[in-house]
Amino acid sequence: LHPILSGAAAAALSIVMFAALRRRPDRSMGEAGRTAGLVTAVVVVATIASLGTGNEAWWNWRAWSWGGANTGGRNLLIDQRYGPLNYPDKPLEMLRVKTDRLTPLRATSLDTFDGASFTAAGKYSTDTLQVDGSVALNPGASGVVRNTTVMFTEITSKWVFAGGTPTRIDGLGDRKLRFFDDGSLEADPDLQRGTTITITTATPDPGPRKLLDYRDSYPFDLPPLQVEPDGRSVDVPRFGEGTMSVDEFGRLAPIAELSRRIINGASTQYEAVNRMEGYLRANYRYDTSVPAASSPQDELTTFLLTTKTGYCQHFAGAMALMLRMNGIPARVAVGVNVPAASYDKDSKSYVVTDRDAHSWVEVYFGIEYGWLAFDPTPSRFANGNSASVSSTGYVPPTGANVPPRLNRTPVKPA
C-alpha cells in the first residue's frame, strides 16, 4: 500500500472500531473484555500502518524480516530501497559468529535489474530436501575449506548465511532445506533466535593471475537489462563479443558512457572488473545518510555522476549494473560483513549487528571458479577472494603481459 493510503485506512479503521466498542458495550464482556478489545484495535491499526513500509530505506529498520516470519526474533527485509538508513539508537545484535577468518556471510543474491535496482525476480528454486540435523551438500565444490559457527541472536531468517559454497551444515534440526539456482539456501521453518548452526564451506581463491588469463564465456544467456521504467529491456552482447551504442540504454546512457570510460578497452573480463572495483573504491565516498534522489530510477545516475556519495546499496548496484552493461555476468549479493576491527583474533569470533547488513558484487568466472566476491564499498572488504582489490591479501601479478592499468595495491582496504 502507498503510505498515505495505509495511514488513511488505519485512521478510518481506528475510528470505526473505537466507536463500535464505545456504543455497543456487551454487559457479559465486562471491563476486562472492553480493554482487550481496545488493545486488539490498536494492534490491527498498527499492523495496517506497517504495510506502508515498502517505500522506506533499503534496510527497513522498523519492520525487520530477513525473508521469514517473525516468530521469536526480529526480522530484516532484503528488499532494496534507497534513501538514508535510519538506524535505531542502539545497535541490534543479529548474529554471533566463530570462524578462523573474517569473510562476508552471504544470505542470497539479486540478479535482475528492474530499471532502478537489482531484485530477486529471476531467482528460482531447484530442489527441496528434508533434513534431520545435518546435511552434506555440493560434493564437487573445491577451494579453501572453512568451518563457521553462526548463532542467531535477535533475528529470525529463512536464509542460511555462508561465507562460500556450503559443503556441510550441522545443527539444522528437523526442517526442509530449499535450494536456489544462485546457490542460496532457504530453511523451513525459519532459523529462530537461539539457533546455532555450523557451516563447512569451500571457497575458490584463484588469485589475479589466473583470473587475468580467464577467457571462457558465460555458459548461459545473460538476462535482459531493463533500462526504462516502462519495462523496455536490451540484450547486451557478451564481453568481447561486440558492443552496442550507449544511446540504446535510454535514460541510463550516462551510466553506460561512464562504464566504458572506466573499463577503457580492457582486454579481459578480470581486467574490467579490477578497474571498476578500484575506481569506485578510490573515487566515491561512503555515507549512510545520503538523501534519496527525485525518483528510484535516478538513484544510480545521481550517485555515479552527481553526489558520488552513498552506501553499499549504491556501490554494489552501480558496479553490477556497469559490468552488465558491458556483457559481464554480475549480480548483487546480500548478507552481512563486519569491519576488520570487529574481529577478535584471540577468540576467532565477532558479533554482527544491524549496522553490518551489507551488499557486494559477485562476478562469474567459469565452472572452475564460479561466482567470486568483489566489494566496491570503501568501508568493507571481500576477504576470501584475493583477486578483489578490497582484499588485504591482494597482490597483482607482474610481467610484460600484465595490463599497465591493473590496480597495483589494495584500494582503501578496511
Side-chain angles (χ1 to χ4, degrees), residues 10-277:
L13 181 60
S14 64
I15 293 172
V16 172
M17 294 189 70
F18 281 115
L21 287 169
R22 285 175 58 88
R23 294 178 182 177
R24 298 186 56 173
D26 186 340
R27 294 184 182 275
S28 65
M29 176 188 262
E31 187 63 31
R34 286 192 293 274
T35 300
L38 292 173
V39 171
T40 300
V42 171
V43 171
V44 172
V45 170
T47 300
I48 292 180
S50 72
L51 294 177
T53 61
N55 290 325
E56 298 295 333
W58 173 37
W59 297 106
N60 191 332
W61 306 110
R62 291 186 296 175
W64 293 76
S65 175
W66 206 312
N70 189 349
T71 53
R74 285 188 256 187
N75 296 333
L76 183 62
L77 291 169
I78 66 169
D79 293 337
Q80 296 218 330
R81 297 289 186 271
Y82 299 103
L85 298 182
N86 299 316
Y87 295 104
D89 293 336
K90 182 179 179 181
L92 174 70
E93 181 180 304
M94 296 167 55
L95 308 168
R96 293 187 181 183
V97 183
K98 189 174 181 63
T99 182
D100 63 355
R101 187 182 182 188
L102 183 60
T103 57
L105 298 181
R106 176 187 186 274
T108 187
S109 73
L110 313 172
D111 59 6
T112 300
F113 188 76
D114 65 3
S117 62
F118 281 86
T119 74
K123 192 191 309 295
Y124 63 89
S125 175
T126 60
D127 196 10
T128 300
L129 180 67
Q130 182 68 44
V131 177
D132 184 12
S134 302
V135 61
L137 307 166
N138 303 305
S142 61
V144 179
V145 177
R146 182 167 290 112
N147 291 317
T148 302
T149 299
V150 179
M151 182 174 76
F152 294 80
T153 52
E154 292 299 328
I155 66 165
T156 66
S157 172
K158 70 178 182 180
W159 301 110
V160 175
F161 292 82
T165 301
T167 58
R168 181 180 175 85
I169 306 177
D170 296 291
L172 284 171
D174 184 13
R175 54 176 29 96
K176 293 179 180 178
L177 201 60
R178 191 179 180 191
F179 300 78
F180 286 84
D181 62 310
D182 68 337
S184 54
L185 301 170
E186 178 184 293
D188 181 21
D190 298 344
L191 298 166
Q192 302 297 320
R193 182 174 57 183
T195 300
T196 299
I197 60 175
T198 298
I199 309 155
T200 303
T201 57
T203 306
D205 187 14
R209 167 60 76 182
K210 290 183 178 179
L211 293 189
L212 196 59
D213 294 336
Y214 168 81
R215 284 176 169 78
D216 291 341
S217 62
Y218 189 54
F220 311 105
D221 291 331
L222 288 173
L225 204 58
Q226 185 173 326
V227 296
E228 296 289 356
D230 62 6
R232 186 174 75 81
S233 299
V234 294
D235 290 310
V236 182
R238 296 181 184 183
F239 183 79
E241 298 181 5
T243 59
M244 56 190 295
S245 169
V246 295
D247 294 335
E248 295 185 57
F249 291 101
R251 64 187 295 154
L252 299 178
I255 295 180
E257 177 65 31
L258 174 63
S259 75
R260 295 190 182 177
R261 293 203 307 267
I262 297 171
I263 291 175
N264 191 22
S267 59
T268 71
Q269 176 173 300
Y270 174 67
E271 185 182 354
V273 173
N274 179 276
R275 292 181 186 181
M276 188 73 69
E277 184 187 30

